[in-house]
Amino acid sequence: MFTIPVPLGDRTYNVLIGDMGVETTAECVAKALARCTGLAVVVDGHVARLNPRVAALSRALEARLPRVACLELAPGESCKTFSELEKTCEWLAAQGFDRGAAILAIGGGATSDHAGFAASIYLRGIPFALVPTTLLAMVDASVGGKTAVDLGAGKNLVGAFHQPKVVVADLGFLETLPARELSAGMAEVVKAGLIADAALFAWLERQSAPAQAWPQALLAEAIAEAVKVKVAVVSEDERETGRRAILNFGHTLGHAIESGSHYGLLHGEAVSLGMLAALRLGELKGKSDATLRTRTQALLERLALPVDVKTHLTPEALKHVDVDKKRRSDSVRFVFVPTPGEAVLEDVPLSELRTHALSMF
């Protein structure tokens, strides 16, 4: 098992990665939330029905913590709305959870975002922990304390920073994960290598098989290395006032593509396309190595991720750039990667971004 600390002073917590099984996962959660007066288990409804580990984990938690109650969320991105968030908060109140209670999220990135945001606002903030069940959530959404819901105008536009008490990434949950979801998670691993770890990017290029064929030990190593990149950035800039913005590489255009698809694309699939678009823009502006996009596209294709940017980067999708969280007046803070392991930030005028985006492929 990998244990990766997220050093944030008195809010330091661990990210645990491995094939731990139900009892060990429950023990890790119970240890982190030992003082809670009750535990609200908030779980993706699809995961609850598909994976028997959820029910087994709930029983194991009942044996260790007081007043365990379970709430199933609408699956995937559909839970990330104000109306769904209100339902969760009403349920917490109806269950009588007080300020000593805690929330445990079991699910993918959307469940983590929803439950973490609920924890940040219910009774002005209660503790929470995460058991991510998708590769994407394990390497990205569960680490760093960003929580949010979506608006009609765009993704993650309302949220809060609220750090968990522990993240327990039990690889056993990935056994029932669809191949498409596993591939989508690898986009964030590729991103981590591109922005801050050239050795990780090169290591990924040396893997000849798609992630679905990787042995568990190899997958655990990839998750751990990506998490280490994110932890290093978050511990330096928790609230994204500076360097943490490099974690948004591929996300400005990726989020626009994702919103433009009406969430028909998975987040990781949209990030795959967004990274290629960002690399192409970097080429046009003389900020990226000319061969890097070719290398990245070959890697993403091998990982079964989409690379047909032109199909998805439409005028309709580009409208969503106007409400990007990184927008500053008439510019957006954009991440360029000159070479693997190096990322730079630059404000790009929205007009320039739109012009290049519609003509660069």
Side-chain angles (χ1 to χ4, degrees), residues 141-165:
S142 64
V143 182
K146 279 188 175 181
T147 71
V149 295
D150 304 331
L151 296 180
K155 187 177 171 71
N156 294 336
L157 293 182
V158 182
F161 289 96
H162 192 49
Q163 299 292 346
K165 293 296 185 181

Side-chain angles (χ1 to χ4, degrees), residues 22-32 57 60-61 64:
V22 167
E23 293 298 324
T24 300
T25 298
E27 190 62 34
C28 293
V29 171
K31 183 178 179 181
L57 179 56
L61 289 165
R64 292 170 169 85

Side-chain angles (χ1 to χ4, degrees), residues 22 114 130 164 251 266:
V22 167
H114 175 112
L130 296 168
H251 284 59
L266 297 175

Side-chain angles (χ1 to χ4, degrees), residues 141-217:
S142 64
V143 182
K146 279 188 175 181
T147 71
V149 295
D150 304 331
L151 296 180
K155 187 177 171 71
N156 294 336
L157 293 182
V158 182
F161 289 96
H162 192 49
Q163 299 292 346
K165 293 296 185 181
V166 71
V167 177
V168 187
D170 178 7
L171 300 186
F173 277 105
L174 299 182
E175 293 172 2
T176 57
L177 191 69
R180 182 185 174 196
E181 292 271 5
L182 198 66
S183 293
M186 290 304 299
E188 291 286 352
V189 182
V190 173
K191 182 200 78 176
L194 281 167
I195 63 171
D197 192 340
L200 173 59
F201 185 76
W203 179 82
L204 289 168
E205 287 186 299
R206 292 195 297 271
Q207 309 309 315
S208 58
Q212 295 90 324
W214 289 12
Q216 194 176 77

Side-chain angles (χ1 to χ4, degrees), residues 296-319:
T296 302
Q297 179 167 327
L299 174 57
L300 294 171
E301 283 185 298
R302 190 160 66 251
L303 293 170
L305 282 159
V307 296
D308 54 332
V309 181
K310 188 173 182 178
T311 300
H312 297 281
L313 194 55
T314 63
E316 173 79 16
L318 277 172
K319 293 177 182 177

